[in-house]
Amino acid sequence: MSEAGKHADWMRRAELRIPGGVNSPVRAWRGVGGTPLFFERGSGAWLIDIDGRRYLDYVCSWGALILGHAHPLVTEAIQAAAARSTSFGAPTTLEVEYAELLCSIVPNLERMRLVNSGTEACMSAIRLARGATGRRKILKFDGCYHGHADSFLVRAGSGALTLGEPNSRGVTEGTAGDTLIAPYNDLAAVEQLVAAHGRDLAAIIVEPVAGNMGCIAPAQGFLAGLRRLSTASGAVLIFDEVMCGLRVAFGGAQARYGVDADLITLGKIIGGGLPLAAYGGRADLMRHIAPEGGVYQAGTLSGNPLAVSAGLAVLRHLKAHPELYDALEERSSQLARGLASAAREYALPLQVNQVGGMLCAHFSTAPVTDCASSTASDSKRFARLFHALLDHGVYLPPSAYEAWFVSLAHSAQDIERTLAAMRTVFAEIAATGS
Ligand code: PMP
Protein backbone atom coordinates (compact mmCIF):
# COMPACT_ATOMS: atom_id res chain seq x y z
CA MET A 1 0.00 0.00 0.00
CA SER A 2 1.29 3.49 -0.84
CA GLU A 3 2.10 5.81 2.06
CA ALA A 4 -0.81 8.16 1.29
CA GLY A 5 -2.95 5.02 1.14
CA LYS A 6 -2.14 4.18 4.73
CA HIS A 7 -3.57 7.49 5.96
CA ALA A 8 -6.56 7.19 3.63
CA ASP A 9 -7.22 3.68 4.85
CA TRP A 10 -7.24 4.80 8.49
CA MET A 11 -9.51 7.71 7.55
CA ARG A 12 -11.97 5.34 5.87
CA ARG A 13 -12.07 3.25 9.06
CA ALA A 14 -12.39 6.40 11.16
CA GLU A 15 -15.26 7.77 9.10
CA LEU A 16 -17.33 4.64 9.67
CA ARG A 17 -17.40 5.17 13.42
CA ILE A 18 -16.55 8.83 14.03
CA PRO A 19 -18.39 11.72 12.29
CA GLY A 20 -16.05 13.11 9.66
CA GLY A 21 -13.47 10.63 11.00
CA VAL A 22 -12.37 13.16 13.61
CA ASN A 23 -13.09 14.19 17.18
CA SER A 24 -13.00 17.91 16.37
CA PRO A 25 -14.05 19.32 12.96
CA VAL A 26 -10.96 21.29 11.82
CA ARG A 27 -8.92 18.07 11.99
CA ALA A 28 -10.88 16.78 8.97
CA TRP A 29 -9.05 19.23 6.65
CA ARG A 30 -12.31 20.40 5.05
CA GLY A 31 -10.79 23.88 4.81
CA VAL A 32 -7.81 22.71 2.73
CA GLY A 33 -9.01 19.45 1.15
CA GLY A 34 -7.16 16.14 1.04
CA THR A 35 -6.80 13.32 3.53
CA PRO A 36 -5.73 14.24 7.05
CA LEU A 37 -2.46 12.80 8.28
CA PHE A 38 -2.42 10.45 11.24
CA PHE A 39 0.31 11.23 13.73
CA GLU A 40 2.12 8.84 15.97
CA ARG A 41 4.61 10.89 17.96
CA GLY A 42 5.79 14.37 18.69
CA SER A 43 9.19 15.54 19.88
CA GLY A 44 9.99 19.18 20.61
CA ALA A 45 8.96 21.21 17.56
CA TRP A 46 8.46 18.10 15.43
CA LEU A 47 5.52 15.87 14.60
CA ILE A 48 6.06 12.35 13.26
CA ASP A 49 3.32 10.68 11.23
CA ILE A 50 2.47 6.97 11.00
CA ASP A 51 4.86 6.63 8.05
CA GLY A 52 7.71 8.08 10.10
CA ARG A 53 7.70 11.38 8.13
CA ARG A 54 8.69 14.44 10.17
CA TYR A 55 7.03 17.86 10.12
CA LEU A 56 7.86 21.11 11.87
CA ASP A 57 4.67 21.70 13.83
CA TYR A 58 2.98 25.11 13.86
CA VAL A 59 -0.24 23.79 15.39
CA CYS A 60 1.29 22.62 18.68
CA SER A 61 -2.02 21.09 19.75
CA TRP A 62 -3.76 24.36 18.87
CA GLY A 63 -1.47 26.39 21.05
CA ALA A 64 -1.37 24.14 24.10
CA LEU A 65 2.23 22.95 23.76
CA ILE A 66 4.27 26.03 24.61
CA LEU A 67 7.22 23.82 25.59
CA GLY A 68 6.82 21.65 22.48
CA HIS A 69 5.92 17.96 22.30
CA ALA A 70 6.76 15.50 25.04
CA HIS A 71 8.82 17.91 27.14
CA PRO A 72 10.51 15.79 29.84
CA LEU A 73 9.31 18.10 32.64
CA VAL A 74 5.74 17.43 31.56
CA THR A 75 5.95 13.72 30.78
CA GLU A 76 7.79 13.00 34.06
CA ALA A 77 5.21 14.95 36.06
CA ILE A 78 2.40 12.99 34.43
CA GLN A 79 4.10 9.64 35.03
CA ALA A 80 4.74 10.42 38.68
CA ALA A 81 1.13 11.54 39.17
CA ALA A 82 -0.28 8.51 37.36
CA ALA A 83 1.58 6.16 39.68
CA ARG A 84 -0.25 7.75 42.63
CA SER A 85 -3.71 7.32 40.95
CA THR A 86 -5.34 8.80 37.90
CA SER A 87 -8.23 10.44 39.73
CA PHE A 88 -9.56 10.98 43.25
CA GLY A 89 -12.78 12.96 42.91
CA ALA A 90 -11.80 14.54 46.23
CA PRO A 91 -9.53 17.44 47.21
CA THR A 92 -5.80 17.17 46.53
CA THR A 93 -3.03 19.49 47.68
CA LEU A 94 -1.93 19.75 44.03
CA GLU A 95 -5.08 21.71 43.16
CA VAL A 96 -4.42 24.22 45.92
CA GLU A 97 -0.82 24.71 44.85
CA TYR A 98 -1.99 25.07 41.27
CA ALA A 99 -4.64 27.69 42.12
CA GLU A 100 -2.18 29.68 44.24
CA LEU A 101 0.37 29.67 41.43
CA LEU A 102 -2.03 30.54 38.60
CA CYS A 103 -3.59 33.35 40.65
CA SER A 104 -0.10 34.75 41.23
CA ILE A 105 0.57 34.77 37.46
CA VAL A 106 -2.66 36.10 35.92
CA PRO A 107 -3.76 39.63 36.89
CA ASN A 108 -7.19 39.93 38.54
CA LEU A 109 -7.44 36.17 39.02
CA GLU A 110 -8.37 36.35 42.70
CA ARG A 111 -10.21 33.04 42.86
CA MET A 112 -10.64 30.30 40.29
CA ARG A 113 -12.13 26.95 39.37
CA LEU A 114 -10.50 24.19 37.33
CA VAL A 115 -12.48 22.52 34.56
CA ASN A 116 -11.61 20.16 31.71
CA SER A 117 -11.90 22.29 28.56
CA GLY A 118 -12.04 25.85 27.30
CA THR A 119 -15.66 25.23 26.37
CA GLU A 120 -16.52 24.44 29.98
CA ALA A 121 -14.57 27.45 31.24
CA CYS A 122 -16.39 29.91 28.96
CA MET A 123 -19.79 28.31 29.45
CA SER A 124 -19.34 28.49 33.23
CA ALA A 125 -18.10 32.08 33.10
CA ILE A 126 -21.24 33.30 31.32
CA ARG A 127 -23.49 31.30 33.64
CA LEU A 128 -21.72 33.03 36.51
CA ALA A 129 -22.10 36.44 34.85
CA ARG A 130 -25.82 35.79 34.35
CA GLY A 131 -26.24 34.47 37.88
CA ALA A 132 -24.40 37.39 39.44
CA THR A 133 -26.13 40.13 37.44
CA GLY A 134 -29.58 38.56 37.06
CA ARG A 135 -29.41 39.53 33.36
CA ARG A 136 -29.91 37.43 30.22
CA LYS A 137 -27.96 38.69 27.26
CA ILE A 138 -24.32 38.35 26.34
CA LEU A 139 -22.34 40.23 23.74
CA LYS A 140 -19.72 38.41 21.68
CA PHE A 141 -17.73 39.29 18.59
CA ASP A 142 -18.15 38.04 15.04
CA GLY A 143 -15.51 35.34 14.41
CA CYS A 144 -14.52 34.88 18.05
CA TYR A 145 -14.73 31.33 19.34
CA HIS A 146 -15.45 30.52 22.96
CA GLY A 147 -16.03 26.79 22.67
CA HIS A 148 -19.11 24.92 21.56
CA ALA A 149 -21.67 25.79 24.24
CA ASP A 150 -24.98 26.84 22.65
CA SER A 151 -24.74 30.56 23.43
CA PHE A 152 -21.41 30.86 21.60
CA LEU A 153 -22.33 29.11 18.36
CA VAL A 154 -23.59 32.32 16.83
CA ARG A 155 -21.16 33.90 14.34
CA ALA A 156 -18.51 31.59 15.82
CA GLY A 157 -14.94 31.37 14.58
CA SER A 158 -12.55 28.41 14.32
CA GLY A 159 -14.07 25.20 12.86
CA ALA A 160 -17.47 26.84 12.44
CA LEU A 161 -15.86 29.49 10.23
CA THR A 162 -13.79 26.92 8.34
CA LEU A 163 -16.94 24.98 7.50
CA GLY A 164 -18.63 28.21 6.40
CA GLU A 165 -21.42 27.75 8.94
CA PRO A 166 -20.77 30.16 11.78
CA ASN A 167 -24.22 29.44 13.23
CA SER A 168 -24.87 25.89 14.42
CA ARG A 169 -28.11 24.01 13.90
CA GLY A 170 -29.50 22.68 17.13
CA VAL A 171 -29.16 26.00 18.95
CA THR A 172 -32.63 27.28 19.81
CA GLU A 173 -33.80 30.71 18.69
CA GLY A 174 -34.23 31.65 22.33
CA THR A 175 -30.59 30.96 23.11
CA ALA A 176 -29.27 32.55 19.92
CA GLY A 177 -31.49 35.58 20.55
CA ASP A 178 -29.73 36.21 23.85
CA THR A 179 -26.37 36.47 22.09
CA LEU A 180 -25.63 39.90 20.62
CA ILE A 181 -22.93 40.22 17.96
CA ALA A 182 -20.56 43.06 17.14
CA PRO A 183 -17.70 43.14 14.62
CA TYR A 184 -14.29 42.69 16.29
CA ASN A 185 -12.41 45.93 16.87
CA ASP A 186 -15.57 47.99 16.30
CA LEU A 187 -16.13 49.94 19.50
CA ALA A 188 -18.88 52.10 17.98
CA ALA A 189 -20.96 48.96 17.28
CA VAL A 190 -20.48 47.84 20.89
CA GLU A 191 -21.50 51.28 22.11
CA GLN A 192 -24.75 51.05 20.13
CA LEU A 193 -25.57 47.54 21.41
CA VAL A 194 -24.82 48.54 24.98
CA ALA A 195 -27.04 51.60 24.61
CA ALA A 196 -29.89 49.41 23.29
CA HIS A 197 -29.51 46.38 25.61
CA GLY A 198 -27.37 47.60 28.52
CA ARG A 199 -29.88 46.79 31.25
CA ASP A 200 -30.22 43.20 29.95
CA LEU A 201 -26.54 42.70 29.33
CA ALA A 202 -24.89 40.16 31.65
CA ALA A 203 -21.51 39.98 29.96
CA ILE A 204 -19.25 41.10 27.20
CA ILE A 205 -16.98 38.22 26.24
CA VAL A 206 -13.99 38.76 23.98
CA GLU A 207 -10.80 37.09 22.86
CA PRO A 208 -8.50 39.99 23.79
CA VAL A 209 -6.20 38.80 21.02
CA ALA A 210 -8.44 37.02 18.53
CA GLY A 211 -7.10 33.66 17.38
CA ASN A 212 -10.01 31.89 15.76
CA MET A 213 -10.25 33.91 12.55
CA GLY A 214 -6.50 34.13 12.07
CA CYS A 215 -4.54 36.16 14.59
CA ILE A 216 -5.93 39.63 15.15
CA ALA A 217 -4.59 42.15 17.63
CA PRO A 218 -7.01 44.42 19.46
CA ALA A 219 -7.00 47.90 17.91
CA GLN A 220 -5.62 50.72 20.05
CA GLY A 221 -8.24 51.55 22.70
CA PHE A 222 -10.55 48.64 21.85
CA LEU A 223 -10.05 46.66 25.08
CA ALA A 224 -10.02 49.81 27.21
CA GLY A 225 -13.29 50.83 25.51
CA LEU A 226 -14.85 47.47 26.36
CA ARG A 227 -13.72 47.95 29.97
CA ARG A 228 -15.36 51.37 30.09
CA LEU A 229 -18.63 50.19 28.50
CA SER A 230 -18.83 47.13 30.76
CA THR A 231 -18.33 49.18 33.88
CA ALA A 232 -20.86 51.79 32.77
CA SER A 233 -23.54 49.21 31.95
CA GLY A 234 -22.87 46.84 34.83
CA ALA A 235 -22.01 43.97 32.45
CA VAL A 236 -19.25 41.56 33.43
CA LEU A 237 -16.19 41.83 31.18
CA ILE A 238 -14.87 38.36 30.34
CA PHE A 239 -11.51 37.96 28.65
CA ASP A 240 -11.39 34.59 26.99
CA GLU A 241 -7.68 33.88 27.24
CA VAL A 242 -7.96 30.15 26.51
CA MET A 243 -5.67 30.70 23.54
CA CYS A 244 -3.81 33.94 24.18
CA GLY A 245 -3.30 33.56 27.93
CA LEU A 246 0.35 32.85 28.74
CA ARG A 247 1.07 33.10 25.02
CA VAL A 248 1.04 36.84 24.31
CA ALA A 249 2.70 37.53 27.68
CA PHE A 250 3.29 35.52 30.86
CA GLY A 251 0.24 37.12 32.51
CA GLY A 252 -1.74 37.00 29.25
CA ALA A 253 -3.47 39.82 27.40
CA GLN A 254 -4.39 41.74 30.55
CA ALA A 255 -0.70 42.03 31.32
CA ARG A 256 0.24 42.87 27.74
CA TYR A 257 -2.40 45.59 27.22
CA GLY A 258 -2.88 46.83 30.77
CA VAL A 259 -6.66 46.35 30.77
CA ASP A 260 -8.44 44.56 33.63
CA ALA A 261 -11.13 41.94 33.08
CA ASP A 262 -13.72 40.88 35.66
CA LEU A 263 -13.52 37.21 34.71
CA ILE A 264 -10.84 35.38 32.76
CA THR A 265 -11.02 31.99 31.07
CA LEU A 266 -7.87 29.99 30.45
CA GLY A 267 -6.98 26.66 28.89
CA LYS A 268 -4.47 25.10 26.50
CA ILE A 269 -1.02 26.18 27.83
CA ILE A 270 -2.09 26.01 31.47
CA GLY A 271 -2.65 22.23 31.14
CA GLY A 272 0.56 21.34 29.33
CA GLY A 273 -1.38 19.45 26.63
CA LEU A 274 -3.74 17.66 29.00
CA PRO A 275 -7.45 18.42 29.41
CA LEU A 276 -7.28 21.33 31.86
CA ALA A 277 -8.86 24.77 31.78
CA ALA A 278 -9.89 27.37 34.32
CA TYR A 279 -12.18 30.30 34.90
CA GLY A 280 -11.99 32.86 37.62
CA GLY A 281 -11.50 36.48 38.50
CA ARG A 282 -13.01 38.92 40.94
CA ALA A 283 -13.55 37.32 44.35
CA ASP A 284 -16.96 38.98 44.79
CA LEU A 285 -18.14 37.29 41.58
CA MET A 286 -16.58 33.89 42.33
CA ARG A 287 -18.44 33.65 45.64
CA HIS A 288 -21.60 32.99 43.59
CA ILE A 289 -20.24 29.58 42.54
CA ALA A 290 -21.68 26.51 44.30
CA PRO A 291 -21.33 25.45 47.05
CA GLU A 292 -20.65 29.01 48.29
CA GLY A 293 -23.35 30.47 46.07
CA GLY A 294 -26.22 29.50 43.84
CA VAL A 295 -24.51 29.22 40.42
CA TYR A 296 -23.98 25.53 39.84
CA GLN A 297 -20.90 24.13 38.14
CA ALA A 298 -19.22 20.77 38.77
CA GLY A 299 -17.08 18.01 37.21
CA THR A 300 -16.14 14.40 37.98
CA LEU A 301 -12.62 14.86 36.61
CA SER A 302 -12.19 18.58 37.39
CA GLY A 303 -8.76 19.20 38.87
CA ASN A 304 -7.59 15.81 37.61
CA PRO A 305 -4.17 15.04 39.14
CA LEU A 306 -2.50 14.14 35.82
CA ALA A 307 -3.67 17.35 34.17
CA VAL A 308 -2.87 19.49 37.20
CA SER A 309 0.61 17.95 37.49
CA ALA A 310 1.34 18.61 33.83
CA GLY A 311 0.06 22.18 34.18
CA LEU A 312 2.07 22.80 37.34
CA ALA A 313 5.26 21.61 35.62
CA VAL A 314 4.68 24.09 32.77
CA LEU A 315 3.69 27.03 34.99
CA ARG A 316 6.65 26.53 37.34
CA HIS A 317 9.08 26.33 34.45
CA LEU A 318 7.70 29.49 32.82
CA LYS A 319 7.71 31.37 36.11
CA ALA A 320 11.32 30.37 36.79
CA HIS A 321 12.44 31.54 33.33
CA PRO A 322 10.78 34.86 32.41
CA GLU A 323 13.35 35.29 29.64
CA LEU A 324 11.54 32.53 27.73
CA TYR A 325 8.89 35.05 26.71
CA ASP A 326 11.48 37.19 24.96
CA ALA A 327 12.65 34.06 23.14
CA LEU A 328 9.08 33.17 22.14
CA GLU A 329 8.39 36.68 20.85
CA GLU A 330 11.70 36.67 18.96
CA ARG A 331 11.03 33.29 17.29
CA SER A 332 7.55 34.22 16.17
CA SER A 333 8.56 37.65 14.94
CA GLN A 334 11.46 36.02 13.06
CA LEU A 335 8.84 33.89 11.31
CA ALA A 336 6.46 36.82 10.77
CA ARG A 337 9.18 39.13 9.43
CA GLY A 338 10.57 36.39 7.18
CA LEU A 339 7.13 35.60 5.81
CA ALA A 340 6.36 39.21 5.02
CA SER A 341 9.68 39.75 3.30
CA ALA A 342 9.39 36.50 1.28
CA ALA A 343 5.94 37.59 0.12
CA ARG A 344 7.34 40.99 -0.92
CA GLU A 345 10.16 39.27 -2.78
CA TYR A 346 7.65 37.34 -4.90
CA ALA A 347 5.10 40.18 -5.08
CA LEU A 348 2.42 38.14 -3.33
CA PRO A 349 -0.21 40.08 -1.35
CA LEU A 350 0.19 38.68 2.15
CA GLN A 351 -0.99 40.12 5.47
CA VAL A 352 1.06 38.83 8.38
CA ASN A 353 -0.29 39.41 11.89
CA GLN A 354 1.69 38.42 14.97
CA VAL A 355 1.25 38.92 18.70
CA GLY A 356 3.64 37.11 21.05
CA GLY A 357 3.74 33.41 20.25
CA MET A 358 0.80 33.43 17.84
CA LEU A 359 0.60 34.60 14.25
CA CYS A 360 -1.18 34.16 10.95
CA ALA A 361 -0.73 34.97 7.28
CA HIS A 362 -3.65 35.80 5.00
CA PHE A 363 -3.43 36.13 1.23
CA SER A 364 -5.06 39.54 0.96
CA THR A 365 -4.21 43.09 -0.08
CA ALA A 366 -6.20 44.62 2.80
CA PRO A 367 -5.21 44.52 6.47
CA VAL A 368 -6.93 41.75 8.44
CA THR A 369 -8.57 43.32 11.48
CA ASP A 370 -11.88 41.46 11.88
CA CYS A 371 -13.91 38.52 10.63
CA ALA A 372 -15.00 40.17 7.38
CA SER A 373 -11.43 41.02 6.35
CA SER A 374 -10.22 37.57 7.43
CA THR A 375 -12.80 35.67 5.38
CA ALA A 376 -12.23 37.98 2.40
CA SER A 377 -8.70 36.55 2.07
CA ASP A 378 -7.85 33.92 -0.55
CA SER A 379 -8.44 30.62 1.24
CA LYS A 380 -7.79 28.57 -1.94
CA ARG A 381 -4.30 29.98 -2.12
CA PHE A 382 -3.86 29.17 1.56
CA ALA A 383 -4.86 25.57 0.83
CA ARG A 384 -2.19 25.43 -1.84
CA LEU A 385 0.40 26.81 0.60
CA PHE A 386 -0.68 24.28 3.24
CA HIS A 387 -0.23 21.26 0.96
CA ALA A 388 2.98 22.48 -0.63
CA LEU A 389 4.51 23.09 2.79
CA LEU A 390 3.52 19.60 3.92
CA ASP A 391 5.68 18.28 1.09
CA HIS A 392 8.52 20.30 2.58
CA GLY A 393 7.91 18.93 6.08
CA VAL A 394 6.08 21.94 7.56
CA TYR A 395 2.68 21.45 9.21
CA LEU A 396 0.46 24.55 9.36
CA PRO A 397 -3.08 24.61 10.77
CA PRO A 398 -5.34 23.02 8.14
CA SER A 399 -7.47 26.15 7.75
CA ALA A 400 -6.92 29.72 6.56
CA TYR A 401 -8.77 30.96 9.65
CA GLU A 402 -6.70 29.46 12.45
CA ALA A 403 -3.75 31.01 14.21
CA TRP A 404 -0.28 29.47 13.87
CA PHE A 405 1.60 28.67 17.03
CA VAL A 406 5.30 28.79 17.77
CA SER A 407 6.67 26.90 20.77
CA LEU A 408 9.78 27.35 22.86
CA ALA A 409 11.10 24.19 21.21
CA HIS A 410 11.25 25.94 17.81
CA SER A 411 14.85 27.01 17.24
CA ALA A 412 16.06 29.86 15.05
CA GLN A 413 17.24 27.17 12.60
CA ASP A 414 13.77 25.59 12.56
CA ILE A 415 12.30 28.97 11.62
CA GLU A 416 14.95 29.49 8.93
CA ARG A 417 14.19 26.06 7.52
CA THR A 418 10.48 26.93 7.49
CA LEU A 419 11.16 30.22 5.73
CA ALA A 420 13.32 28.49 3.11
CA ALA A 421 10.38 26.16 2.37
CA MET A 422 8.02 29.15 2.26
CA ARG A 423 10.22 30.94 -0.28
CA THR A 424 10.27 27.87 -2.52
CA VAL A 425 6.48 27.60 -2.34
CA PHE A 426 5.96 31.35 -2.83
CA ALA A 427 8.14 31.16 -5.96
CA GLU A 428 5.94 28.35 -7.33
CA ILE A 429 2.75 30.25 -6.49
CA ALA A 430 4.09 33.44 -8.06
CA ALA A 431 5.16 31.52 -11.19
CA THR A 432 1.77 29.91 -11.72
CA GLY A 433 -0.28 32.82 -10.43
CA SER A 434 -2.60 30.66 -8.31
N1 PMP B 1 -11.89 29.86 23.73
C1 PMP B 1 -10.92 30.07 22.84
C2 PMP B 1 -10.39 31.45 22.65
C3 PMP B 1 -10.41 29.00 22.10
O1 PMP B 1 -9.44 29.23 21.21
C4 PMP B 1 -10.93 27.71 22.31
C5 PMP B 1 -10.44 26.51 21.55
N2 PMP B 1 -9.68 26.73 20.45
C6 PMP B 1 -11.95 27.55 23.26
C7 PMP B 1 -12.40 28.65 23.96
C8 PMP B 1 -12.55 26.21 23.53
O2 PMP B 1 -11.63 25.39 24.17
P1 PMP B 1 -11.77 23.81 24.10
O3 PMP B 1 -11.50 23.40 22.70
O4 PMP B 1 -10.74 23.32 25.09
O5 PMP B 1 -13.15 23.46 24.55
Side-chain angles (χ1 to χ4, degrees):
M1 187 186 305
S2 75
E3 291 191 347
K6 207 162 147 188
H7 296 268
D9 189 48
W10 275 106
M11 194 33 83
R12 272 190 295 275
R13 282 175 64 179
E15 280 168 347
L16 285 178
R17 294 295 181 194
I18 308 172
V22 291
N23 285 307
S24 198
V26 183
R27 298 180 197 173
W29 287 21
R30 294 280 159 91
V32 290
T35 304
L37 295 175
F38 283 77
F39 292 107
E40 195 168 82
R41 274 183 304 125
S43 175
W46 294 87
L47 273 173
I48 297 107
D49 76 8
I50 54 174
D51 296 317
R53 281 200 61 188
R54 288 159 57 84
Y55 307 83
L56 269 171
D57 182 15
Y58 290 99
V59 178
C60 294
S61 191
W62 302 100
L65 301 180
I66 196 166
L67 302 184
H69 290 271
H71 193 286
L73 281 176
V74 177
T75 53
E76 282 160 23
I78 296 168
Q79 281 160 4
R84 293 190 295 264
S85 179
T86 52
S87 186
F88 297 99
T92 58
T93 55
L94 279 176
E95 292 157 87
V96 184
E97 284 176 351
Y98 187 96
E100 287 172 353
L101 182 54
L102 193 61
C103 288
S104 78
I105 293 170
V106 178
N108 302 304
L109 194 65
E110 295 174 340
R111 301 181 83 200
M112 56 167 272
R113 262 282 165 84
L114 285 175
V115 292
N116 305 295
S117 69
T119 295
E120 265 187 82
C122 295
M123 176 186 84
S124 307
I126 59 155
R127 183 182 304 138
L128 169 56
R130 284 175 164 146
T133 59
R135 299 171 174 187
R136 265 194 7 232
K137 293 190 194 289
I138 62 163
L139 192 159
K140 77 175 276 291
F141 293 89
D142 188 10
C144 279
Y145 181 69
H146 306 292
H148 61 89
D150 286 4
S151 308
F152 301 127
L153 292 180
V154 186
R155 307 291 312 160
S158 191
L161 203 56
T162 299
L163 298 178
E165 289 178 19
N167 303 315
S168 172
R169 291 174 67 182
V171 174
T172 63
E173 276 171 32
T175 300
D178 281 339
T179 302
L180 308 172
I181 306 292
Y184 195 77
N185 272 333
D186 186 344
L187 205 51
V190 180
E191 230 148 10
Q192 277 175 14
L193 286 168
V194 169
H197 301 275
R199 263 177 288 154
D200 285 336
L201 196 60
I204 297 179
I205 183 164
V206 65
E207 288 180 67
V209 177
N212 287 286
M213 45 180 163
C215 168
I216 301 180
Q220 181 80 27
F222 179 58
L223 298 177
L226 296 184
R227 175 67 278 169
R228 177 173 52 77
L229 291 168
S230 297
T231 305
S233 64
V236 174
L237 181 60
I238 305 172
F239 275 9
D240 178 355
E241 299 219 32
V242 168
M243 187 185 281
C244 64
L246 281 79
R247 180 162 281 282
V248 299
F250 186 45
Q254 290 184 102
R256 186 168 181 124
Y257 296 102
V259 177
D260 296 331
D262 299 310
L263 293 178
I264 304 102
T265 57
L266 295 145
K268 301 191 192 257
I269 287 176
I270 69 159
L274 270 77
L276 189 72
Y279 70 95
R282 270 172 37 200
D284 65 307
L285 289 172
M286 290 303 286
R287 73 176 171 75
H288 290 282
I289 297 294
E292 283 180 28
V295 176
Y296 198 72
Q297 179 270 313
T300 301
L301 295 178
S302 293
N304 174 267
L306 270 59
V308 171
S309 298
L312 264 178
V314 173
L315 297 184
R316 284 180 178 148
H317 183 67
L318 295 174
K319 186 161 186 164
H321 300 282
E323 73 284 0
L324 290 176
Y325 278 84
D326 295 333
L328 187 69
E329 183 89 46
E330 174 46 34
R331 287 291 166 276
S332 10
S333 61
Q334 183 190 350
L335 182 57
R337 282 192 314 267
L339 263 168
S341 96
R344 274 195 305 276
E345 200 178 315
Y346 294 101
L348 292 174
L350 192 75
Q351 302 295 323
V352 184
N353 292 349
Q354 179 241 332
V355 184
M358 55 197 272
L359 70 151
C360 192
H362 294 266
F363 287 107
S364 174
T365 48
V368 172
T369 57
D370 58 13
C371 193
S373 46
S374 171
T375 50
S377 68
D378 187 344
S379 56
K380 286 209 180 72
R381 198 171 251 190
F382 176 84
R384 172 150 187 217
L385 175 71
F386 172 83
H387 284 289
L389 283 175
L390 269 189
D391 292 341
H392 289 273
V394 175
Y395 185 69
L396 292 184
S399 163
Y401 311 124
E402 299 284 353
W404 310 0
F405 301 100
V406 173
S407 81
L408 290 162
H410 287 76
S411 65
Q413 292 86 327
D414 292 334
I415 305 286
E416 271 317 311
R417 188 187 175 123
T418 306
L419 289 171
M422 293 270 183
R423 279 193 290 272
T424 308
V425 176
F426 284 179
E428 287 161 12
I429 293 178
T432 58
S434 61

